Amino acid sequence: MVEIIAGDKGKGKTKKLLERAHADLAEAKGDIIYIDKSQKHMHELNNKIRLINMADYTVESTDEFLGFLSGAISQNYDIEEICLDSFLTIGYIDTSEGLTRAVEKLDVISEKYNVRFVVCISKDEIDLPESVKAKIVLSL
């Protein structure tokens, strides 16, 4: 399952994602991973949530990013949820077609490995492709 938190920059998406990660941790039977473009929110995360700073890795395209996610899942079968902050940036997504394709691939990964993705996208709901809008759980 892919769930999207959408809204322009500065609307509070990261705060909502952090709240969501902590709320889900209380009921999680598996692990939760939080992936971001920096370590900025490291001290806001419960130490049971693994922070991955994408700046530490040499990922340079959407395909490499999706491969990175698959690799992370292959190394830990207990992953229940992956929170992706700044998804357009860390996923190297700059077109509507690229976003649609990336979300479709996340759906496939999610279904195959039973991992939920909670994704922050810095765009207003009206600017998102129709195929992606159905996955929005919060629009700010």
Side-chain angles (χ1 to χ4, degrees), residues 11-46:
K11 294 285 186 174
K13 294 176 305 300
T14 296
K15 180 180 177 185
K16 295 295 184 183
L17 184 62
L18 289 165
E19 290 171 0
R20 169 71 186 269
H22 287 118
D24 291 349
L25 180 62
E27 297 180 20
K29 293 178 177 71
D31 296 334
I32 295 179
I33 295 179
Y34 190 98
I35 301 178
D36 202 353
K37 62 185 177 186
S38 71
Q39 294 194 117
K40 181 179 176 182
H41 302 289
M42 178 175 63
H43 298 292
E44 297 171 61
L45 283 171
N46 183 302

Side-chain angles (χ1 to χ4, degrees), residues 97-109:
E97 295 80 20
L99 177 58
T100 297
R101 184 176 160 269
V103 170
E104 287 171 354
K105 288 201 171 201
L106 285 181
D107 263 334
V108 170
I109 295 168

Side-chain angles (χ1 to χ4, degrees), residues 1 3 20 24 80-83 110 114-118:
M1 169 186 304
E3 299 178 355
R20 169 71 186 269
D24 291 349
E80 184 173 318
E81 179 173 294
I82 298 177
C83 299
S110 174
N114 198 28
V115 174
R116 180 176 49 254
F117 290 97
V118 184

Side-chain angles (χ1 to χ4, degrees), residues 62-93:
T62 302
D63 286 336
E64 288 180 9
F65 177 69
L66 293 168
F68 179 89
L69 291 177
S70 295
I73 293 168
S74 76
Q75 293 299 306
N76 182 350
Y77 293 108
D78 292 330
I79 296 174
E80 184 173 318
E81 179 173 294
I82 298 177
C83 299
L84 302 171
D85 201 359
S86 304
F87 182 59
L88 299 177
T89 302
I90 64 174
Y92 293 86
I93 300 165

